[in-house]
Amino acid sequence: MSVPLPPPAGRATPPDCPRARCAARCLRAGALLAAVSAVLLTLVALEWGPLVSLDRSVADVLHRVAVGQPGLTRAARVLTDWVWSPTAMRAALLAVGAWLVWRRELPLALWAAATAALGTVLQQGLKAAVDRPRPHWPDPVDSARYAAFPSGHALTATVVCGLLVWLLALHGTRSTWLGTATAAAAVSVAGVSLTRVYLGVHWLSDVVGGALLGAALLMGAVGAYGLGVWRRG
């Protein structure tokens, strides 16, 4: 099962092709998300006052809670370092990719792997370009490397969880299981974003930016894959 997209220029989309219309909406959504991400990136790079103030206020409140609740903080570290870490996310995608290869769906497996790899390149490139300092605390509860913007945890979780849900949908997973997977993906993205800010290693705009960029990449990849499949007939 594949997701077709609108035909090339000069040919009309068949009126009875809802999948084509859905895939076209994915591309438009991806473009919109990319535009919003670019605006946020600009505000972060310019150190826009209201955004900086909001980031600091949220970080201060959550850091006080983290320092005062060591049990909750330990749980947050387990979730962010093991359950929702980029390594765990990539391992899950690797396992699904191996299953796709076993099913002789090598192009789909390579497409998913390339999308995840592009996400890693995107986040590292932007981190180096923006070079935003992470929050600094006299009594830190966690630590992290590299620059702050965008959050690699949030971006990777968004891309990988989205890809996994998309692959389930492509293979005709029952609606009940697909709904459960979608809910789990949403909880994972929101959860890892919250833990990164709660543990004081990211600003709020870092995780929002990571999720937005990941969603833009995901929508673009889904749409582009469908377009390629449609053009091949």
Side-chain angles (χ1 to χ4, degrees), residues 37-124:
S37 300
V39 171
L40 180 58
L41 171 62
T42 301
L43 296 178
V44 168
L46 294 176
E47 298 183 356
W48 188 52
L51 181 63
V52 172
S53 178
L54 175 63
D55 280 339
R56 173 53 68 180
S57 297
V58 172
D60 286 342
V61 170
L62 290 180
H63 182 67
R64 286 197 295 271
V65 176
V67 171
Q69 299 290 334
L72 183 59
T73 300
R74 282 193 295 270
R77 292 190 64 175
V78 170
L79 289 172
T80 198
D81 292 339
W82 296 96
V83 180
W84 293 322
S85 71
T87 300
M89 292 289 168
R90 292 173 189 135
L93 186 61
L94 180 63
V96 173
W99 176 73
L100 290 172
V101 172
W102 178 75
R103 287 174 53 92
R104 298 182 180 179
E105 297 182 64
L106 182 59
L108 187 57
L110 291 176
W111 189 264
T115 301
L118 182 58
T120 300
V121 171
L122 178 64
Q123 62 152 310
Q124 292 300 330

Side-chain angles (χ1 to χ4, degrees), residues 7 19 29 31 52 55 67 82 98 133 180-181 188 191 204 225:
R19 293 193 186 98
V52 172
D55 280 339
V67 171
W82 296 96
T180 301
S188 295
L204 175 62
Y225 180 84

Side-chain angles (χ1 to χ4, degrees), residues 8 24 28 30 44 60-62 85 105 113 135 147 176-177 187 206 212-213 216 223:
R28 290 194 293 270
V44 168
D60 286 342
V61 170
L62 290 180
S85 71
E105 297 182 64
T176 301
W177 288 107
V187 168
D206 295 338
L212 283 173
L213 286 164

Side-chain angles (χ1 to χ4, degrees), residues 2-8 11 20 23-24 27 107-108 111 166 220-233:
S2 59
V3 182
L5 267 179
R11 295 173 59 188
L27 282 179
L108 187 57
W111 189 264
W166 174 59
V222 169
Y225 180 84
L227 179 61
V229 169
W230 186 90
R231 284 180 171 171
R232 289 195 301 269

